[in-house]
C-alpha cells in the first residue's frame, strides 16, 4: 500500500493513526458481530446499552438513524430476547431501551471476544502505556458541542422487574 499523499494535501500523522486504528477496530467488531449474526450497528447499540437506558429517540439520534430504522433494529433484537422497551421513569410518555438478561450476557461475551481479538495489539503496551493511551483517547471521544452526535445520557441501569404471576 502506498503512503503517498496527493499534491496539496498535508499528511497529519494523528489523523492517519486514528483512521488506521478505527479500521483495525471496526474489522474486529465486524468479524465478532458476524459470528453472532449481528451488524456493526447492533453492536454499537449493545455497547451503548451496557451502562445506559436511553430513550428510543436519544439512541436514534446518537446512531444517526431515523425512527423507523431504529424501531426495526430494536424489533429484531427484541424477537431474539436481547433488548426490551419500557416506559421511562422520568417521563412516562417516553420509551427507554434496555438490555435483557440474555442481552447483557451476550454483550459481556462479545466484549470479551473483542478484547481477546485486540489483545495482540493492546498486549504490546505495558500497564503505564495502556493507562496513558486511555487518558489520551478520552478527550478525543467526548462529543463536540453542536457536532450532531450527543451522547445518550448515562443513568443507572434499571432492569425490568420480574412479572408477577
Amino acid at each position: 500500500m502506498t503512503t503517498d499523499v496527493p499534491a496539496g494535501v498535508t499528511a497529519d500523522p494523528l489523523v492517519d493513526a486514528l483512521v488506521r486504528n478505527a479500521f483495525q477496530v471496526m474489522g474486529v467488531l465486524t468479524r465478532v458481530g458476524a459470528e453472532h449474526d449481528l451488524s456493526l450497528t447492533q453492536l454499537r447499540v449493545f455497547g451503548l446499552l451496557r451502562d445506559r437506558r436511553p430513550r428510543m429517540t436519544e439512541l436514534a439520534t446518537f446512531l444517526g438513524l431515523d425512527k423507523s430504522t431504529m424501531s426495526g433494529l430494536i424489533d429484531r433484537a427484541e424477537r431474539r430476547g436481547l433488548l426490551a422497551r419500557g416506559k421511562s421513569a422520568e417521563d412516562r410518555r417516553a420509551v427507554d431501551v434496555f438490555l435483557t438478561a440474555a442481552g447483557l450476557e451476550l454483550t459481556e461475551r462479545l466484549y470479551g471476544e473483542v478484547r481477546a481479538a485486540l489483545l495482540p495489539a493492546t498486549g504490546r503496551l505495558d500497564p503505564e502505556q495502556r493507562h496513558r493511551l486511555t487518558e489520551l483517547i478520552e478527550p478525543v471521544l467526548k462529543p463536540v458541542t453542536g457536532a450532531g452526535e450527543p451522547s445518550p445520557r448515562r443513568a443507572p441501569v434499571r432492569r425490568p422487574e420480574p412479572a408477577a404471576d
Side-chain angles (χ1 to χ4, degrees):
M1 177 187 293
T2 182
T3 58
D4 294 338
V5 177
V9 176
T10 304
D12 183 335
L14 174 60
V15 171
D16 291 346
L18 287 170
V19 169
R20 287 191 338 267
N21 180 254
F23 288 161
Q24 179 184 30
V25 173
M26 283 188 293
V28 167
L29 292 172
T30 299
R31 181 184 51 75
V32 169
E35 290 170 359
H36 295 275
D37 196 28
L38 297 169
S39 69
L40 192 53
T41 301
Q42 289 168 316
L43 285 181
R44 290 177 69 199
V45 168
F46 293 157
L48 289 168
L49 296 180
R50 283 180 72 202
D51 61 353
R52 296 172 183 85
R53 184 176 168 150
R55 294 184 177 139
M56 284 280 290
T57 53
E58 292 173 320
L59 197 53
T61 299
F62 183 76
L63 295 169
L65 300 174
D66 61 43
K67 187 178 177 181
S68 64
T69 301
M70 188 78 241
S71 290
L73 193 142
I74 300 302
D75 286 344
R76 287 186 296 281
E78 274 184 315
R79 283 193 296 274
R80 290 179 65 177
L82 302 173
L83 300 180
R85 293 178 240 216
K87 295 217 180 276
S88 169
E90 291 88 31
D91 180 353
R92 302 302 286 173
R93 298 167 297 172
V95 176
D96 289 347
V97 182
F98 54 92
L99 291 168
T100 63
L104 183 60
E105 186 276 325
L106 176 61
T107 299
E108 293 304 318
R109 191 166 9 116
L110 292 166
Y111 183 82
E113 290 176 25
V114 168
R115 185 169 185 239
L118 292 173
L119 191 57
T122 60
R124 294 183 207 134
L125 303 173
D126 65 41
E128 176 56 34
Q129 289 173 316
R130 293 170 67 93
H131 177 73
R132 186 71 182 128
L133 181 58
T134 301
E135 285 182 334
L136 290 169
I137 288 175
E138 283 303 322
V140 174
L141 298 176
K142 289 188 177 150
V144 178
T145 304
E149 192 170 290
S151 178
R153 73 196 184 311
R154 282 187 187 245
V157 176
R158 297 174 300 278
R159 299 286 171 225
E161 296 294 322
D165 290 327

